[in-house]
Amino acid sequence: MIKISAAIMHHPRRADRIPALVRACAPLEPKVVSDPDPGGRPSPLRTAKRAWAAIEPGATHHLVLQDDVKPAPGFAEQLNAAVGLRPEHGVSLFCLWHTPHNSYLVRRAAVAGAAYAPLSPYEWTPTQGFVLPVAEARALAEYLAGIPDEVQDDDEMIVIFCRERGIPVVATVPHLLDSGHDQSLVEGHHDGLRAAVYAPDLAWSGSPDADVELPPGSYGVELHGSICSIRRVHGDPVEHKFPWYWYDACPLTGLDPDAVLDAGAPHLAGLPAGLVAVMSEVWAAGYLLGADVAGLAPDATGDGPLVHAALSSWIDQGLAAEDRAASGDCVSLATAALKQGIRDRRSVHAS
């Protein structure tokens, strides 16, 4: 039987958020763990050390939440179900919408209809809401205790911990949390961030017998600053700022870049000339995602609320502000591209 204890990493500047967050966790009763040095240099690691050690007696699993998250309706029930089907895993309940590898893995899982997305063992672990089996949570608390607070970022230490101990990490799809969109307390961290796939009107559901299992793959597709790019999973540093332009790197996906553009020509033909370049990038991103999923999930169709949530967040974070205002219904174009990529990849495999 699953019994989850919970702790909330808390900074006094966000005291107004705590009552609502605690209520949203009910019937869980999370312990609020305050930053021991709130006037010092901001360090999530400083508070994470204590939050991971705040395990309730008798618990089988331990959840640590950050105090700027927004749980989905029915949070505790969905959490219990998600942990119950992956009791030996680390389970992330949230993934930022712009991360280089993990956000793509989550969107790919959403399109495939999977309840979980396997996360990268090299990119920082999403720790806005993260669950571990109690034995691993205790070991993590001991591991973090030996790291100086100046290291600052708990997520970059946790991915190393999980990788070294061989703990598989997955994210729930959809996520059980969104960001509260607060200003980050840590200098250099982005503000106004959101989840990669959050659909509060759609409850998480998984099946022990029918869940789609997706291997991580060798590349990820990125949409950022109105440009579609490809990132290699192996061989490139996770946080490097110069991914490969999709057209040049398209052979990594097994696709002909000119064929990708030819498939989009009917959809782009009626657009104003000034929008064609940007919308071609949106088309390429959707098409490449669809072609990737088609080879992994035979039943994926490119339809449904999870797909819409995944593509909407991709567009919102991926287009430059000036393009977002002028480009119209990019989600519809991305959806058409996704479906075309699925169909074309399957037709090649069938021939």
Side-chain angles (χ1 to χ4, degrees):
M1 179 177 176
I2 300 296
K3 182 179 179 182
I4 301 172
S5 73
I8 297 172
M9 294 168 50
H10 170 55
H11 192 283
R13 281 170 51 182
R14 290 175 172 160
D16 61 314
R17 296 191 61 90
I18 293 300
L21 179 54
V22 169
R23 287 195 300 271
C25 291
L28 291 176
E29 298 179 353
K31 180 177 181 180
V32 178
V33 179
S34 294
D35 187 334
D37 185 16
R41 178 175 181 262
S43 171
L45 177 62
R46 184 170 59 229
T47 310
K49 293 176 180 182
R50 293 153 178 84
W52 281 107
I55 301 170
E56 291 293 330
T60 63
H61 294 76
H62 187 56
L63 162 68
V64 172
L65 295 168
Q66 295 182 5
D67 62 1
D68 59 344
V69 296
K70 178 182 177 182
F75 171 74
E77 181 179 358
Q78 295 181 67
L79 171 66
N80 199 70
V83 172
L85 291 181
R86 290 291 187 274
E88 305 301 320
H89 286 57
V91 181
S92 286
L93 312 179
F94 173 93
C95 176
L96 288 168
W97 63 350
H98 73 303
T99 57
H101 292 160
N102 285 335
S103 65
Y104 179 71
L105 293 173
V106 168
R107 291 188 176 96
R108 192 173 69 153
V111 173
Y116 302 91
L119 298 184
S120 168
Y122 301 99
E123 184 176 284
W124 64 90
T125 299
T127 54
Q128 287 82 359
F130 189 51
V131 185
L132 281 172
V134 158
E136 302 294 1
R138 290 196 182 100
L140 175 58
E142 293 176 5
Y143 176 83
L144 295 178
I147 300 172
D149 293 343
E150 289 73 17
V151 172
Q152 191 177 69
D153 292 324
D154 59 328
D155 50 7
E156 295 189 0
M157 298 300 100
I158 289 175
V159 71
I160 296 171
F161 170 83
C162 290
R163 183 172 68 243
E164 290 181 347
R165 291 180 69 91
I167 303 169
V169 177
V170 296
T172 57
V173 184
H175 300 320
L176 304 190
L177 304 168
D178 197 6
S179 168
H181 306 177
D182 281 357
Q183 181 179 2
S184 175
L185 299 176
V186 180
E187 184 178 353
H189 285 200
H190 297 281
D191 297 333
L193 297 174
R194 286 167 39 196
V197 182
Y198 182 65
D201 295 332
L202 184 66
W204 181 90
S205 62
S207 164
D209 302 318
D211 192 34
V212 179
E213 296 284 351
L214 298 178
S218 62
Y219 66 89
V221 182
E222 180 176 272
L223 186 64
H224 181 71
S226 300
I227 295 174
C228 177
S229 303
I230 291 174
R231 285 183 175 268
R232 297 186 303 174
V233 170
H234 304 290
D236 290 343
V238 170
E239 295 186 69
H240 73 93
K241 304 298 184 183
F242 303 102
W244 300 88
Y245 184 56
W246 80 269
Y247 188 94
D248 301 325
C250 206
L252 292 174
T253 72
L255 298 169
D256 178 350
D258 290 321
V260 174
L261 292 175
D262 288 346
H267 299 268
L268 301 170
L271 295 175
L275 291 180
V276 172
V278 171
M279 298 300 265
S280 294
E281 301 295 303
V282 172
W283 174 270
Y287 189 99
L288 294 175
L289 173 58
D292 188 8
V293 171
L296 299 168
D299 297 329
T301 64
D303 286 314
L306 272 184
V307 175
H308 187 270
L311 295 181
S312 294
S313 76
W314 210 12
I315 297 298
D316 285 348
Q317 65 79 40
L319 292 186
E322 61 272 18
D323 295 326
R324 194 181 309 117
S327 296
D329 190 0
C330 292
V331 176
S332 292
L333 179 66
T335 302
L338 177 77
K339 293 180 178 180
Q340 190 68 50
I342 291 172
R343 288 194 296 268
D344 290 353
R345 177 58 66 91
R346 286 181 180 158
S347 67
V348 169
H349 286 175
S351 60

